[in-house]
Amino acid sequence: MFRNLRKLSCIGASHFKKPHFWITNSKVIRTLNHFNNRKYSNSAEMDNPPWREASTLIIASRLTLHDVVAKGKNLSNLMSSATRNYNNKPTASDYRLLMVKRSGLSSFMANAYVFPGGLVEVADYSPLWWSVFEKLGITRKELLDFCSNIQGERPPMITTPITLKCKGALPNEDYLPPDIGLRIAALRETFEETGILLLTNPSLETTQEATTHTLLTHNVDIQAWQKRIHDDPYAFLDLCLESHMCPDIWSLYEWSDWLTPTAVGHRRYDTMFYLCCLPRQPDVLLDKGEVTIMRWCSPDEMMSEHFTNSIFLAPPQVYELSRLMLLQSYHELRNFAKKREPEGCERWMPIISTAIDGAVSYLPGDDLYPKEPDFEGIQKPIDFPYALDDLRAKSTLLHRMEIRGPQCTTYCNITPNCGHLQPLTYKLNQPIVQSFL
């Protein structure tokens, strides 16, 4: 075996890029990468930043007519775009979001309800993916054109990704662009946790709606593949090859980028959030490892339960649910995500300070947010000698979340960058108002 590996190490890089070689020798290449890259990997690990990259997926599923009738909803309200009155609670939305509860044994955000997702792996960037797409008639140029659709703000996860530098990737390889690799990571992790498999084959699609997604559940042993992919991220590539499909990257719209604050524990993640809209609700098969419970719910349902202490939501989920409440129609949500995406997104790192009666997590644009944030937690956090209400009253520009025990409330009176939505301020048993504008 080692003799064969030495022979392979002498083969030119141009030969590795041939589609037939990648597809028939993927396991050999993985082994070769491992042996050739030990020295490179060790040196890279010495320069690791204090966080890892992750990718998550907000899945919105449109309610069916059966769901509407079964739940006794008002059909006219649900099947038309909602008319919003910011002085009153929004009407019931006609879509549901998938949220999963993290295991109580998780080392990060245990028992919290989150959107499915997880760590980005080198396998998500693998040069093997070029051939997977090419076999389905999708050219390299088409993929690169897809990456160039966003003309607005690009966060560091896109411009200078750290996964390839810090997880043992070979230098000078033909890796996928981050705009594709991060989407593959979100799809892979979503399948691993929930069994929802979003693949596509453009040559098999027959309707306009079908081109936006493919729910591949027949002729696939979901549970077996979940385990294989959990053990080896490259197995997601094998699944695509065997099913003659590719990851449906086109159905994922870039939504936001959250970096864990320096004050939150020893594990930090730079996480890209994507949004995917499905015209029908897919079956879910939880892995029962990292996540234990799933919910299809409306944004206001989750916020209501959060404020009655029935569930725990991490602050990024509170923020995203607070602005998703503005979009009550499935079509409105999908159209907004598609139209907004070319404007890109910023990376947000909340900065947390304590107050007399809680904590405040402020975001870019807030009066308290520094011009040069401390991304590595070198500086000591500020302790304010004020109550949260008083601290808010002293501020002019608000873009923050106030934390009182397990509850988190969003306040925003600025217009977010990149064409994004301003979140609502949610207060239980009180009118939901758009923040101060």
Side-chain angles (χ1 to χ4, degrees), residues 6 23 71 81-82 139 152 171 189 227 258 303 363 388 421:
R6 284 195 293 270
I23 293 172
K71 295 178 183 296
S81 297
T139 66
E189 283 287 339
K227 185 179 186 307
W258 291 84
M303 290 296 290
L363 296 164
L388 290 171
L421 296 168

Side-chain angles (χ1 to χ4, degrees), residues 350-367:
I351 296 179
I352 300 177
S353 295
T354 59
I356 293 176
D357 56 345
V360 57
S361 175
Y362 33 100
L363 296 164
D366 191 281
D367 278 344

Side-chain angles (χ1 to χ4, degrees), residues 105-395:
L105 301 177
S106 298
S107 58
F108 184 78
M109 292 297 172
N111 294 314
Y113 273 89
V114 298
F115 303 113
L119 289 175
V120 179
E121 303 287 351
V122 174
D124 303 316
Y125 288 92
S126 172
L128 293 162
W129 286 111
W130 293 113
S131 295
V132 172
F133 288 108
E134 185 178 354
K135 283 176 67 69
L136 300 177
I138 304 166
T139 66
R140 178 184 293 258
K141 181 181 183 303
E142 289 174 319
L143 292 171
L144 295 177
D145 287 345
F146 170 78
C147 298
S148 65
N149 287 336
I150 299 179
Q151 303 297 323
E153 187 78 18
R154 308 312 291 129
M157 283 189 76
I158 301 297
T159 59
T160 54
I162 64 173
T163 296
L164 294 179
K165 294 181 180 180
C166 304
K167 299 195 71 172
L170 286 169
N172 303 319
E173 284 298 309
D174 191 22
Y175 293 110
L176 291 180
D179 278 310
I180 299 177
L182 293 176
R183 283 174 168 82
I184 291 177
L187 294 169
R188 175 183 54 77
E189 283 287 339
T190 296
F191 173 68
E192 182 184 321
E193 291 184 348
T194 69
I196 297 177
L197 185 57
L198 298 176
L199 304 180
T200 189
N201 184 335
S203 65
L204 300 179
E205 307 293 4
T206 57
T207 67
Q208 182 176 1
E209 188 170 73
T211 60
T212 64
H213 79 289
T214 298
L215 303 177
L216 185 67
T217 56
H218 60 284
N219 300 325
V220 173
D221 189 337
I222 299 295
Q223 196 166 19
W225 278 107
Q226 281 178 295
K227 185 179 186 307
R228 285 184 60 181
I229 293 171
H230 177 272
D231 295 339
D232 178 11
Y234 281 93
F236 189 45
L237 189 147
D238 297 330
L239 170 57
C240 292
L241 288 173
E242 291 188 19
S243 60
H244 304 288
M245 308 285 276
C246 67
D248 191 3
I249 59 174
W250 300 271
S251 69
L252 272 60
Y253 299 109
E254 186 175 290
W255 188 257
S256 59
D257 179 3
W258 291 84
L259 176 60
T260 308
T262 58
V264 180
H266 64 288
R267 292 179 181 268
R268 298 179 62 202
Y269 303 94
D270 190 1
T271 305
M272 183 67 77
F273 282 62
Y274 292 99
L275 177 74
C276 175
C277 295
L278 302 180
R280 62 184 184 275
Q281 192 174 107
D283 295 329
V284 175
L285 180 62
L286 296 182
D287 67 350
K288 296 297 183 181
E290 298 177 9
V291 297
T292 57
I293 299 174
M294 57 77 61
R295 293 273 306 274
W296 287 104
C297 50
S298 65
D300 53 308
E301 286 173 344
M302 295 304 286
M303 290 296 290
S304 176
E305 293 188 32
H306 172 64
F307 275 85
T308 57
N309 295 326
S310 299
I311 62 171
F312 170 59
L313 294 171
Q317 274 70 27
V318 171
Y319 189 100
E320 297 300 353
L321 290 169
S322 295
R323 60 179 170 189
L324 285 169
M325 290 179 67
L326 284 164
L327 300 170
Q328 295 294 301
S329 160
Y330 170 85
H331 291 291
E332 186 181 20
L333 173 62
R334 185 178 63 178
N335 292 339
F336 173 81
K338 182 177 181 179
K339 182 179 179 180
R340 192 215 64 81
E341 185 182 48
E343 300 192 42
C345 71
E346 301 174 309
R347 181 174 70 182
W348 286 354
M349 184 190 73
I351 296 179
I352 300 177
S353 295
T354 59
I356 293 176
D357 56 345
V360 57
S361 175
Y362 33 100
L363 296 164
D366 191 281
D367 278 344
L368 297 177
Y369 203 83
K371 293 183 179 179
E372 297 183 2
D374 173 21
F375 287 101
E376 298 189 15
I378 298 175
Q379 302 171 8
K380 184 179 179 181
I382 299 175
D383 297 328
F384 290 107
Y386 307 107
L388 290 171
D389 289 344
D390 295 334
L391 188 61
R392 188 183 340 118
K394 294 176 180 293
S395 302

Side-chain angles (χ1 to χ4, degrees), residues 5 41 51 70 117 140 195 227 266 284 365 410 417:
L5 286 174
S41 175
W51 59 76
R140 178 184 293 258
K227 185 179 186 307
H266 64 288
V284 175
T410 303
N417 292 336

